[in-house]
Amino acid sequence: MRLLKTALVAGALAVLSVTTIASAYAQDTKIGFIVKQPEEPWFQDEWKFADQAAKEKGFTLVKIGAEDGEKLMSAIDNLGAQGVQGFIVCTPDVKLGPGIVAKAAANNLKLMTVDDRLVGADGKALEEVPHMGISATKIGEAVGQAIIDEMKARGWKADEVGAIRVSYDQLPTAVDRVEGAISVLKANGFKAENIFDAPQAKTDTEAALNAATVVLNAHAGIKKWVSFGLNDEAVLGAVRASESVGIPADGMIGVGIGGADSAINEFKKPTATGFVGTVIISPKRHGYETALNMYDWVANNKEPEKLILTSGALAKRDDYQKVRQGLGIE
Ligand code: FCA
């Protein structure tokens, strides 16, 4: 009897120590998620969905905003000092690529990128770093097609319309997005000389507004406009600029990319503005799935795919809720 008791106690202790180790391990898994513009709704959504993954799997998520290279480098050191094992980053500058890779290695951190892919000194993508981005050219084409469809619905002819290309050409995905849109405009009769570049200093609404205002003032004779850019903020900037120079909502067709609150708040306004649509992309895939993939890499030694490109779906004022539901982000 005594022997049996001892055996039972030993067994219970063994079970106890195994579960203790298991939960200690889950608690010890720490993953970083650094974004370049923490105030932008898209990035807040990415964080929100990454938090969901952390809750489900029981790891700690460390979120840091890094608006410039200096902040990013110290954020990576900070993660290392906190005992984080790996991180996901949307960098403020893709040209920092080799520096980011070196910093991550020095801190013994696994590295994945999201949205904006790192480039090397030669300008080519650093293919060894696992990346999740959007299918930029295709999504740009969907923007271009949405603009053309709306032009047809309004009875506009291509040669009476000006196009504002809100641009951020130091970022390859931004170039692919706007060039995708332009290819469809051109295929539908748009002339290159009616497409005007509006380079923004930053990828936010204010910078886009400033850039687009310059274009509108330089071509005050044109009364019908379309606009596109790398995200909703870029297009909202162009739409706000058109309003400020007196172009009515029915004189502007802006189509963005994103579908987070920046776009949704615009659709919720009681009267339609020149922001007619957005190609909604998935912060769930970019936040939840990247975080899960990093967790699998850190905790289960399962390496993520090197490149995942996600798709988008066009939404307008009247159907955005349905489209969001379809993407599982409502
Ligand atoms: C880039 C843009 C963001 C978002 C993301 C998917 O990082 O700056 O607004 O569009 O790609």
Side-chain angles (χ1 to χ4, degrees), residues 36-37 40 42-43 46 90-91 114-117 132-134 168 171 173-174 177 200 203-204 230-234 257-258 281-282 286 310:
K36 63 177 179 179
Q37 267 166 276
E40 188 182 308
W42 164 261
F43 293 109
E46 271 185 352
C90 178
T91 172
V114 70
D115 304 336
D116 300 353
R117 200 175 188 195
M132 185 187 288
I134 66 169
Y168 193 72
L171 181 60
T173 182
R177 296 176 198 187
Q200 52 180 168
T203 55
D204 64 10
L230 97 155
N231 58 15
D232 289 328
E233 285 72 12
I257 294 172
I281 52 179
S282 175
H286 288 232
T310 60

Side-chain angles (χ1 to χ4, degrees), residues 224-247:
K224 291 175 179 150
W225 286 95
V226 302
S227 66
F228 48 90
L230 97 155
N231 58 15
D232 289 328
E233 285 72 12
V235 175
L236 284 167
V239 171
R240 294 290 93 87
S242 67
E243 290 162 352
S244 77
V245 300
I247 293 167

Side-chain angles (χ1 to χ4, degrees), residues 309-330:
L309 296 178
T310 60
S311 58
L314 179 70
K316 295 186 175 175
R317 262 173 92 80
D318 53 359
D319 67 358
Y320 72 90
Q321 275 154 323
K322 227 173 59 199
V323 177
R324 279 168 67 87
Q325 267 163 21
L327 291 167
I329 53 175
E330 192 53 60

Side-chain angles (χ1 to χ4, degrees), residues 288-305:
Y288 178 85
E289 202 175 305
T290 50
L292 268 195
N293 290 351
M294 179 53 85
Y295 174 78
D296 266 344
W297 196 6
V298 167
N300 305 322
N301 218 12
K302 184 173 170 259
E303 274 203 40
E305 278 174 58

